[in-house]
Amino acid sequence: MVAMEAKGWIGASVPRREDARHLLGQGVFAGDVTAPGMLELAFWRSPVAHGRIGAVTRPAGVFGAGEIGPVTLLPAGPDMPGFRQAPYPPLADGVVRFVGQPVLAALAATRGAAEDLCARCEVEIAPLPAFADVPAALAPGAAVLHPGWADNRYGSGHVKAGDVAGLDAPIRIRRKLGLGRQSAAPMEPRALIAVPDRRTGELVLHISSQGPHVLRHALAAMLGLPESRLRVVAPDVGGGFGAKNRLMPEEVVACALALKLDRPIRWVEDRREHLMAGAQAREHLYDLTLHATRDGIALGIEGELWVDAGAYALWPTGAFAEAGMAARNLGGPYGIAHLDVRHHTVATTKPPMGPYRGVGRTGACFAIERLMDALADEVGVSRYEIRRRNLIAKLPHVTAAGMTLDTGDYPAALEACVGMLDLPALEARRAAGERVGVGFAIYTEQSGHGTAEWAGRKARVVPGHETATLRMHPDGSLTLLTAIHNHGQGLETTLAQIVAEELGLHPEAIAVRHGDTGLSPFGFGTFASRSLVFAGGAAKAAAEMLGAKLRRIAAHFLQADLALVELRGGRAWAGAASLPLVDLAHAATMRQERLPPGEPPGLEATADYCPPEDAGVFSYGVHAAVVRVDAETGAVALEDYCVAEDCGTMINPMIVDGQVKGGVVQGIGTALTEELRFDAEAQPLSTTFADYRLPDAPSLPEIRVLHLVTPARCTVHGAKGVGEGGAIAPPAAIASAVEQALGLGMVVTATPVTPRRVLSVLP
Amino acid sequence: MIPAPFTLRRTADWDALPALLEDALPLGGGQSLMPLLALRLAEPAALVPLRDLPGLSEIAERDGALWIGAGVTHARIEDGIGPVPLREWLSLVASGIAYRPVRNLGTLGGSLALHDPASDWPVALLALGASAVLRQGDMRRVLLVEKFCTGAFATALQPGEVIEAVTIPIPATGTRFGWCKLAPAPGAFAEALAGVLHAPGAAPRIAVASPAGARLMPEAPPPDDPHLARLRDVAIRRAGA
Amino acid sequence: MTRLCVNGETHDLACEDRDSLAGVLRDRLGLTATRIGCQHGSCGACNLLLDGVPVRGCLVPVALAEGQAVTTLEGLRDDPVMIRLREAFTAHHALQCGYCTAGMLVAARDLILRGRATSAAEVRAGLAGQLCRCTGYDGIVAAVLQAAQ
């Protein structure tokens, strides 16, 4: 056992233990797993956006709907009566509703041979009307996509607070705004292998997933299996960002066929499939009016927003959180007391929408920040000044939508971000004719939210708790078992830091295992910036329980007062006397006759954790983008990008920086390059990385990050979530910077801000 | 995303090549062709790799021109071949093509033979007044690039014929070359391409990417898309015309 | 039979002509460090060395690798540049999920060996087409600069 510094692991930039295996190429991703007798799966996918399936001709080895064994479809979307159901069949049953929808499943010894089988399939499809966007889907007289629906809305909601209509505000600014459609595009596409285990009778599914326990629950229900007979293992996962946190048809088909044929079945998504049929994201439309005073004080927002949720609702919650969250977050970090916003989740003949880093808030931030820029222009103050006037000055603050912004200092973050820039130098360049500009955007990031928040959203799965088991083995080594998942967030390192801090050990002494329903207690997985708060809380609680027991045993061995015993450096101390923990572990497991009277054997603690602040804790930050625009070509070059953010106590600042920077660059993709485009017949136009362009190193400046630290009131060590925030603000900041560079008012209303869009707004 | 089945027919014999190509596609570095096959946008029964053919990687100065074998990779050109200033010009063009690991296999001849209207070499070679040396068995013919590039994804290659080399006239002293590629990101396919050769005492020779492939101005048809048309004008100006 | 020389070992394998080198390394030889991210040459996750030169493993028909030395990340364990890169990648938090890492390391090593890692701008330019979805690239750039010294 490694024993080093007893205290001080919280706030230390401990190098990540995850790195070594990846740097040697020894990580194991789901697509690396094989099994004897394995068959490879490929899908024949719909070539049209909407149509009725007729005659099907196919070779042996190809399965259609109804031929993969019994499957029960699950209701999906919020658990509320008004939300219309659109169950997503694993294989299309009669009707196809987007290009790329799985229709037939082909099995062969190799993926190439399975694709050959698909190439020999012939499927007659009688075309039905396609709706490629929200206006088309909601046009009067549009056909409905799902039987029994009155129109093409899954549902609508209304966020109302105060009295916008009664404000009689002197300034009203109405704008239509929109975000493009995106793919989360983790570098590892989805992958899975379903392996029947004849010894245990389990079906073992290795899958690239953010939440294996919840996935198991749904899959078992669909397949009619007891959960005890389905083990879901998420090994190394090559990025998720939300895209691997919904039940998808491919895993249902693979598992059903593995059960039916009693053979291992592997499916590895290719990039075209990911961009064509994976969960998609963003695509919001807004029609909003900001009400404000002549001093530029924003008072209220009214209007509507629409989310293009695609053809089906993905289990469990579909994309409904998207619209509701966008509406509730429209006030941003500003003290806007009046909200009257209707939101609509709309079905189109496009792939289903799932969550993506920043869910709802990237759109909401774009909308409110664009409106604030318009307000600044209207009242004739700078875009910095308009924010200074409107930021909530004192926390905690309950927003119009009822969210409690808990701790921090928003104006201080704005000043800190401004302080990172040399604004006079920028102004001098502008004066000299250079087309450079700076834009600001401010966000809040709800994180670590619990039961009341999720239940309030009518979620079908309420991730309000997380459980950890900490086990000390007879030799004194430790294993932490957790049900969150680590796919880049460094949680194997940070959770070990938290346990190490509690038990006076080096983090290396603690193995962290996750991602396997066969190993850990039930839990929800990693999403919604929740894992450090939830799993950290559970790990700390388990470590406290185990530590208490170790101290009791040590007090007995050392003949000392329990209150005097402390754990430090791998030993239990009472004054100058000490014992190695291994002696306590050995006694508790192998030699229980040595334990104090009444002390039960074993050294294992399982703790459940529910965060005390159900509504979550709010990280926040101010982003500043500096751009240079080529007015001839419309090209936008990012010169500088600054972030002043506060995510509470940082367990590992190096990892926090990585989360912030990675999020920012995804947001830069939203802002400038990434868009899943479709033609009028809803044919996808962005199905390779040549067409769907992720940011790469030459196009980016260094992302400069400054941390303000205001601990949360109740979370473990005062930490808040930090995964998503970086991805929220960049579109708003960059749009604003482009306008300043061109000397224009608020004219950029949609993302991505491509050269075409830039040139289209030039006078 | 696996190509449909094909067979590879290896040969190192120029005389055997035409027969092998009867129902097959020639394979240069494969950096454009293999993605097309993986997407099953093309399903040839067979591919004939050209890289074993003798002389295909040769680089030499002959008769006042630089001879570059069709199998010479973008990376080798990027790292410098031929005499200054051609050396720098060619390196500049090569370094903007895709990414280094792609340039390590992608070839000059493959790029010219595919004649993707958004690709770099056809435009650059056209500007430089280059010719393609075409070979079928032991028969050779030499075509100026403006004759070779007949349309987007179309060339003057006859069945059984492949590019053996490209020859580029060594520029007269004082000649200048300008090159502008406008692309969404470094290495991406171009939205506009222009190459300009200024020889002393001669009018500038301006080559651009067009819907009909690489063409000389002013004959090059304009892009249908006004945005791309605008970018092309910018590229021509920035290339120094 | 296709005869491959991979990381110094010779293998005779029955392959289809359409099989890619990256696919065969992964599925037939279990050398899974070579990752597949796009299968069209745009992401760089499958970078490996052919006669010491980085190429996209997904774009090489396996039969065309015959007669050339194939080196994957597994074969670079003791490479002195790679040892420095590994240390620097950890120190600068240059990886998160780890999926792009092998391809990134192969590309970075090549930049260093060609003397193209002398400034942040040069490293960024040299990493064009090497996609990482997690880190935002800053850590990678810093790590390559450090390892190049």
Side-chain angles (χ1 to χ4, degrees):
Chain A
M1 185 189 303
V2 185
M4 276 179 51
E5 207 51 43
K7 288 281 176 187
W9 293 113
I10 302 304
S13 287
V14 178
R16 299 192 333 156
R17 59 176 55 185
E18 293 90 336
D19 291 2
R21 65 179 184 269
H22 293 304
L23 289 166
L24 292 168
Q26 293 175 334
V28 177
F29 296 85
D32 302 340
V33 179
T34 59
M38 169 178 92
L39 292 174
E40 301 264 9
L41 176 60
F43 290 92
W44 192 95
R45 295 174 180 276
S46 175
V48 299
H50 192 195
R52 192 169 302 283
I53 298 173
V56 175
T57 312
R58 63 214 151 99
V62 177
F63 300 81
E67 295 171 341
I68 58 172
V71 173
T72 307
L73 298 187
L74 303 179
D79 192 5
M80 54 199 290
F83 192 85
R84 294 176 182 143
Q85 285 299 307
Y88 190 2
L91 294 174
D93 189 5
V95 177
V96 290
R97 294 185 175 87
F98 67 91
V99 175
Q101 182 174 353
V103 177
L104 300 170
L107 287 176
T110 65
R111 172 66 182 246
E115 291 188 19
D116 296 343
L117 290 177
C118 291
R120 289 168 55 201
C121 295
E122 289 173 26
V123 181
E124 287 178 8
I125 301 179
L128 292 167
F131 343 110
D133 56 25
V134 164
L138 297 183
V144 291
L145 192 55
H146 293 284
W149 285 27
D151 60 25
N152 284 312
R153 285 178 305 161
Y154 289 92
S156 294
H158 189 189
V159 175
K160 192 170 189 321
D163 178 17
V164 178
L167 281 175
D168 198 24
I171 290 180
R172 295 181 191 192
I173 297 170
R174 181 176 176 183
R175 289 289 188 278
K176 293 182 179 181
L177 303 157
L179 279 189
R181 196 171 190 83
Q182 277 192 263
S183 169
M187 292 316 301
E188 180 209 25
R190 291 184 299 134
L192 58 94
I193 175 171
V195 184
D197 182 334
R198 291 171 187 154
R199 179 178 66 83
T200 60
E202 285 177 336
L203 182 67
V204 183
L205 174 67
H206 300 262
I207 182 168
S208 188
S209 169
Q210 298 174 225
H213 287 268
V214 173
L215 179 63
R216 172 171 75 162
H217 176 74
L219 268 176
M222 286 193 85
L223 299 167
L225 280 179
E227 288 188 49
S228 58
R229 282 192 50 212
L230 181 60
R231 178 177 171 194
V232 178
V233 183
D236 283 322
V237 170
F241 318 117
K244 296 171 179 173
N245 201 37
R246 288 291 181 268
L247 180 72
M248 297 294 281
E250 292 88 353
E251 51 249 32
V252 181
V253 172
C255 288
L257 287 171
L259 290 170
K260 178 186 172 94
L261 304 176
D262 193 27
R263 286 187 72 167
I265 306 288
R266 182 166 81 164
W267 175 70
V268 179
E269 183 180 56
D270 66 36
R271 184 57 62 184
R272 181 167 53 177
E273 288 180 296
H274 184 79
L275 293 171
M276 184 187 275
Q280 302 191 345
R282 303 275 191 259
E283 198 161 14
H284 293 193
L285 287 172
Y286 297 84
D287 181 351
L288 299 174
T289 303
L290 179 70
H291 297 244
T293 68
R294 291 197 197 284
D295 300 337
I297 303 299
L299 302 171
I301 302 171
E302 67 173 326
E304 286 187 271
L305 71 91
W306 298 264
V307 170
D308 182 339
Y312 297 99
L314 298 177
W315 189 91
T317 38
F320 198 69
E322 194 74 24
M325 278 178 75
R328 293 200 302 147
N329 280 281
L330 272 174
Y334 306 113
I336 296 171
H338 304 269
L339 270 183
D340 188 349
V341 178
R342 292 180 189 276
H343 58 85
H344 311 282
T345 303
V346 180
T348 57
T349 52
K350 292 196 297 207
M353 181 173 279
Y356 173 43
R357 196 175 199 171
V359 176
R361 292 152 298 181
T362 303
C365 178
F366 186 72
I368 181 61
E369 293 295 287
R370 298 276 58 211
L371 288 170
M372 295 305 278
D373 285 342
L375 179 59
D377 299 348
E378 178 75 21
V379 301
V381 300
S382 76
R383 291 176 171 191
Y384 154 76
E385 174 61 20
I386 204 77
R387 288 171 171 78
R388 200 192 60 75
R389 288 185 193 178
N390 281 281
L391 276 178
I392 294 164
K394 193 170 179 321
L395 298 182
H397 174 94
V398 180
T399 69
M403 296 183 293
T404 303
L405 304 174
D406 55 327
T407 58
D409 187 337
Y410 297 171
L414 178 60
E415 297 313 317
C417 189
V418 168
M420 297 170 79
L421 300 157
D422 187 348
L423 292 178
L426 201 64
E427 202 46 54
R429 290 174 62 193
R430 287 164 46 70
E434 278 196 71
R435 295 184 188 275
V436 290
V438 62
F440 296 97
I442 310 177
Y443 71 91
T444 64
E445 174 190 8
Q446 187 180 26
S447 72
H449 31 297
T451 306
E453 169 68 18
W454 291 97
R457 296 183 195 176
K458 307 294 183 196
R460 283 182 188 276
V461 171
V462 174
H465 62 101
E466 202 61 52
T467 306
T469 295
L470 183 62
R471 183 179 296 153
M472 184 173 268
H473 305 291
D475 68 350
S477 62
L478 284 134
T479 302
L480 178 75
L481 301 168
T482 171
I484 52 85
H485 196 275
N486 170 45
H487 33 282
Q489 298 87 346
L491 287 154
E492 291 171 32
T493 301
T494 46
L495 293 179
Q497 286 178 255
I498 288 170
V499 172
E501 177 82 8
E502 212 55 48
L503 297 180
L505 293 167
H506 191 284
E508 283 178 24
I510 301 127
V512 176
R513 296 288 175 264
H514 60 85
D516 186 345
T517 61
L519 272 181
S520 78
F522 175 84
F524 294 91
T526 289
F527 55 93
S529 305
R530 69 187 294 276
S531 290
L532 197 279
V533 169
F534 277 86
K540 183 168 188 289
E544 284 167 356
M545 290 164 66
L546 196 73
K549 184 162 185 175
L550 286 168
R551 280 195 296 275
R552 288 197 301 274
I553 301 170
H556 176 67
F557 279 21
L558 294 169
Q559 294 298 300
D561 183 350
L562 177 59
L564 297 178
V565 177
E566 58 176 31
L567 307 177
R568 172 161 45 88
R571 301 177 74 88
W573 294 82
S578 72
L579 276 170
L581 295 188
V582 60
D583 288 4
L584 308 177
H586 192 257
T589 51
M590 311 293 278
R591 298 295 297 268
Q592 59 182 291
E593 82 278 8
R594 294 181 178 169
L595 290 178
E599 187 69 62
L603 271 174
E604 178 167 317
T606 295
D608 192 65
Y609 179 80
C610 304
E613 285 177 301
D614 249 1
V617 287
F618 286 77
S619 299
Y620 61 94
V622 180
H623 287 202
V626 177
V627 305
R628 191 180 63 253
V629 181
D630 182 331
E632 285 188 326
T633 64
V636 176
L638 265 177
E639 284 198 347
D640 191 11
Y641 203 98
C642 299
V643 177
E645 73 87 41
D646 183 351
C647 63
T649 304
M650 293 185 283
I651 306 298
N652 184 322
M654 177 190 80
I655 287 175
V656 169
D657 271 345
Q659 290 296 303
V660 172
K661 289 172 178 232
V664 165
V665 169
Q666 290 192 6
I668 290 170
T670 305
L672 291 175
T673 65
E674 294 179 39
E675 187 175 24
L676 292 169
R677 293 180 303 117
F678 294 80
D679 71 11
E681 293 302 311
Q683 284 286 340
L685 303 175
S686 320
T687 60
T688 70
F689 274 155
D691 303 307
Y692 188 81
R693 291 200 315 98
L694 303 185
D696 67 354
S699 310
L700 296 163
E702 183 186 347
I703 311 301
R704 300 191 290 136
V705 184
L706 183 147
H707 302 286
L708 296 86
V709 176
T710 316
R713 292 175 296 196
C714 309
T715 62
V716 53
H717 300 295
K720 300 179 179 181
V722 71
E724 297 175 90
I728 296 175
I734 289 170
S736 185
V738 168
E739 289 161 353
Q740 195 190 52
L742 295 171
L744 299 173
M746 206 291 270
V747 291
V748 176
T749 56
T751 67
V753 188
T754 57
R756 276 177 203 276
R757 282 215 166 92
V758 170
L759 293 183
S760 75
V761 300
L762 282 176
Chain B
M1 223 162 101
I2 307 291
F6 59 77
T7 53
L8 280 172
R9 299 179 185 155
R10 312 273 303 250
T11 183
D13 180 356
W14 280 101
D15 291 332
L17 187 60
L20 292 177
L21 283 172
E22 261 176 30
D23 58 346
L25 289 179
L27 177 65
Q31 302 301 288
S32 299
L33 188 55
M34 294 317 296
L36 294 176
L37 300 192
L39 293 160
R40 298 200 180 201
L41 296 173
E43 300 191 11
L47 297 177
V48 183
L50 303 180
R51 64 172 195 188
D52 298 333
L53 293 164
L56 218 63
S57 298
E58 189 185 347
I59 297 167
E61 273 184 67
R62 273 184 206 142
D63 307 326
L66 179 64
W67 170 289
I68 310 175
V72 172
T73 63
H74 311 314
R76 195 164 159 207
I77 299 171
E78 176 185 16
D79 292 345
I81 60 166
V84 174
L86 206 46
R87 185 184 190 88
E88 277 94 23
W89 303 347
L90 295 174
S91 175
L92 172 69
V93 174
S95 65
I97 300 172
Y99 316 112
R100 181 75 186 191
V102 172
R103 296 197 289 272
N104 280 330
L105 287 182
T107 64
L108 178 69
S111 172
L112 184 60
L114 183 65
H115 192 206
D116 184 318
S119 67
D120 306 54
W121 280 127
V123 175
L125 293 173
L126 180 57
L128 291 168
S131 297
V133 180
L134 311 185
R135 183 162 173 183
Q136 184 177 26
D138 59 1
M139 292 189 302
R140 287 196 178 93
R141 60 187 181 125
V142 179
L143 279 185
L144 286 169
V145 170
E146 48 263 56
K147 302 286 185 197
F148 176 81
C149 292
T150 55
F153 295 105
T155 69
L157 280 169
Q158 296 293 316
E161 191 176 46
V162 299
I163 304 175
E164 182 182 18
V166 167
T167 64
I168 307 172
I170 306 288
T173 306
T175 304
R176 289 174 296 126
F177 175 70
W179 178 244
C180 180
K181 174 176 182 175
L182 296 176
F189 275 108
E191 292 181 315
L193 280 170
V196 178
L197 193 73
H198 278 272
R205 179 180 166 90
I206 305 166
V208 295
S210 86
R215 289 292 177 91
L216 290 171
M217 292 299 282
E219 288 81 24
D224 296 335
D225 179 338
H227 177 70
L228 296 183
R230 175 176 178 155
L231 291 190
R232 189 167 92 179
D233 292 343
V234 173
I236 290 171
R237 193 154 32 76
R238 290 187 184 177
Chain C
M1 280 299 206
T2 304
R3 170 162 291 190
L4 284 184
C5 178
V6 184
N7 301 331
E9 281 183 36
T10 302
H11 306 267
D12 288 304
L13 300 164
C15 300
E16 289 187 84
D17 281 346
R18 64 169 159 178
D19 289 342
S20 74
L21 177 58
V24 169
L25 292 171
R26 291 178 48 77
D27 289 340
R28 306 291 297 284
L29 298 180
L31 294 170
T32 53
T34 302
R35 312 258 169 229
I36 292 179
C38 74
Q39 290 170 281
H40 47 266
S42 295
C43 80
C46 66
N47 284 351
L48 46 82
L49 302 179
L50 214 48
D51 279 346
V53 172
V55 302
R56 300 291 205 229
C58 73
L59 297 185
V60 178
V62 63
L64 296 189
E66 276 191 311
Q68 297 183 77
V70 178
T71 309
T72 68
L73 190 71
E74 289 97 335
L76 293 168
R77 199 182 173 106
D78 300 322
D79 176 80
V81 178
M82 205 52 95
I83 290 169
R84 292 206 304 276
L85 276 167
R86 287 200 299 262
E87 290 168 2
F89 266 54
T90 296
H92 292 279
H93 192 21
L95 64 153
Q96 290 184 22
C97 81
Y99 199 79
C100 74
T101 305
M104 196 67 77
L105 287 169
V106 168
R109 176 180 175 276
D110 183 59
L111 286 184
I112 292 171
L113 292 177
R114 288 191 293 120
R116 300 297 177 90
T118 59
S119 70
E122 194 177 39
V123 170
R124 283 183 185 275
L127 292 177
Q130 289 302 130
L131 299 180
C132 167
R133 192 57 158 163
C134 295
T135 64
Y137 303 98
D138 283 356
I140 295 169
V141 174
V144 175
L145 280 172
Q146 178 185 310
Q149 282 173 359

